[in-house]
Amino acid sequence: MTELPARRLLLVHAHPDDESINNGATMARYRAEGARVTLVTCTLGERGEVIPPELRHLTGPALGAYRLRELTAAMAALGVDDFRQLGGAGRYSDSGMMGLPDNDDPDCFWQADLDEAAAHLVEVILEVRPQVVVTYDPDGGYGHPDHIQAHRVTTRAVELAAAAGWEVPKVYWNRAPRTVVEAAFARLERELPELPFDAAARVDDLPGVVGDELVTTEIDGTAHARDKAAAMGAHATQLKLTGAYFALSNALAQPLFTTEYYQLVRGERAPGGRESDLFAGLATEGTR
């Protein structure tokens, strides 16, 4: 078997753009440091709302294909060359927002058989053998069915992979500490009159906002701020980026964070205060 890099990070996300918003700086940092970074995206976001008027004709599979091209450009900006779609491109379709008839589509990710979907991810885990896996909390950060399902599938896949021979040492959920988010929104409110946005989102509109005490790990990605911004900018159907701020299809401004935060939910936390490295406390050596 080919020798694997010493540090291996796997991220599981629901749609193209989630990875750049949540983890773009983290991904760029670890790639720059020589780690293997693998992204698995569970759907192509075929039901996403398109922002640019000239692209609003894109719907369904055509939108999914376009968003895959956006994802490819975003990964190039972050230096990530290992990105995949769960079960292959188009295997699971976007489920739409919670409570919509889209949730009942038998081909959507929300309706996927848990063990079947997890088996696709197990294949990746056994190939990559990551020491660190990152995904969402049980609510998917904000209640989107595909995010919730990504959490469930990842959790189940980690269990199945352990039984099949690879125990993932550390699993993290994406988080955002409330005090940091509140301070960023206070700055946004002061600067909003000079920005091309009519209004700002609310603190609680952001996925994964929790009390500071739940955050175990913060990754300083400020050296890769341009990379994250470029990756987010590649997802032009889904967000509008202006400097240190962006808006989704709701047109409400929110901050772009270049320090990214996590909660360790599986594995041993490194001694001391917050970890500054997802691999903290691990003996990271190449493996065959």
Side-chain angles (χ1 to χ4, degrees):
M1 183 180 292
T2 303
E3 184 170 2
L4 297 170
R7 296 187 299 168
R8 303 175 300 281
L9 168 63
L10 171 64
L11 304 99
V12 182
H13 275 289
H15 317 101
D17 83 344
D18 293 325
E19 79 298 323
S20 298
I21 295 170
N22 285 278
N23 311 114
T26 298
M27 296 169 75
R29 171 182 155 175
Y30 282 110
R31 278 299 295 130
E33 293 177 358
R36 177 169 182 171
V37 175
T38 300
L39 169 68
V40 174
T41 306
C42 298
T43 82
L44 293 176
E46 298 92 340
R47 290 187 167 101
E49 296 182 11
V50 176
I51 295 174
E54 66 274 16
L55 295 176
R56 287 179 187 162
H57 64 281
L58 294 170
T59 59
L63 177 57
Y66 194 92
R67 293 188 69 179
L68 180 56
R69 294 198 293 273
E70 291 183 328
L71 178 63
T72 301
M75 292 302 95
L78 299 178
V80 174
D81 54 13
D82 185 7
F83 57 100
R84 315 169 186 210
Q85 288 68 56
L86 185 68
R91 174 63 183 84
Y92 300 107
S93 66
D94 189 338
S95 307
M97 299 301 289
M98 186 67 83
L100 295 179
D102 298 332
N103 303 164
D104 299 324
D105 182 345
D107 293 326
C108 79
F109 189 45
W110 183 241
Q111 294 294 332
D113 178 83
L114 181 60
D115 281 351
E116 176 190 278
H120 294 306
L121 188 56
V122 169
E123 291 179 9
V124 180
I125 292 173
L126 295 179
E127 174 193 339
V128 174
R129 287 185 277 178
Q131 297 107 333
V132 175
V133 170
V134 171
T135 193
Y136 313 104
D137 67 10
D139 186 50
Y142 71 111
H144 191 294
D146 287 331
H147 289 240
I148 295 170
Q149 187 76 319
H151 162 83
R152 293 173 177 169
V153 168
T154 304
T155 302
R156 181 63 175 146
V158 168
E159 295 171 353
L160 294 173
W166 182 256
E167 184 93 29
V168 176
K170 300 179 86 173
V171 175
Y172 290 90
W173 294 341
N174 292 302
R175 289 303 194 192
R178 182 166 292 275
T179 60
V180 171
V181 175
E182 288 175 344
F185 269 92
R187 290 193 298 273
L188 169 56
E189 288 291 348
R190 292 193 297 270
E191 297 177 17
L192 190 60
E194 306 301 321
L195 296 170
F197 305 108
D198 293 333
R202 299 175 300 113
V203 167
D204 289 330
D205 291 335
L206 265 66
V209 177
V210 292
D212 292 31
E213 71 280 0
L214 291 180
V215 175
T216 61
T217 311
E218 61 181 83
I219 302 302
D220 183 356
T222 53
H224 301 281
R226 287 187 178 182
D227 300 327
K228 175 167 181 168
M232 289 177 61
H235 292 290
T237 61
Q238 301 302 299
L239 62 89
K240 179 180 179 181
L241 180 68
T242 300
Y245 302 103
F246 71 100
L248 300 173
S249 60
N250 60 14
L252 299 176
Q254 56 180 288
L256 182 159
F257 294 99
T258 55
T259 295
E260 295 166 345
Y261 300 87
Y262 303 90
Q263 180 182 357
L264 179 67
V265 295
R266 178 188 177 98
E268 294 297 321
R269 183 172 174 178
R274 280 186 187 166
E275 300 173 324
S276 59
D277 180 6
L278 295 174
F279 296 89
L282 297 178
T284 51
E285 300 177 352
T287 184
R288 293 182 183 275

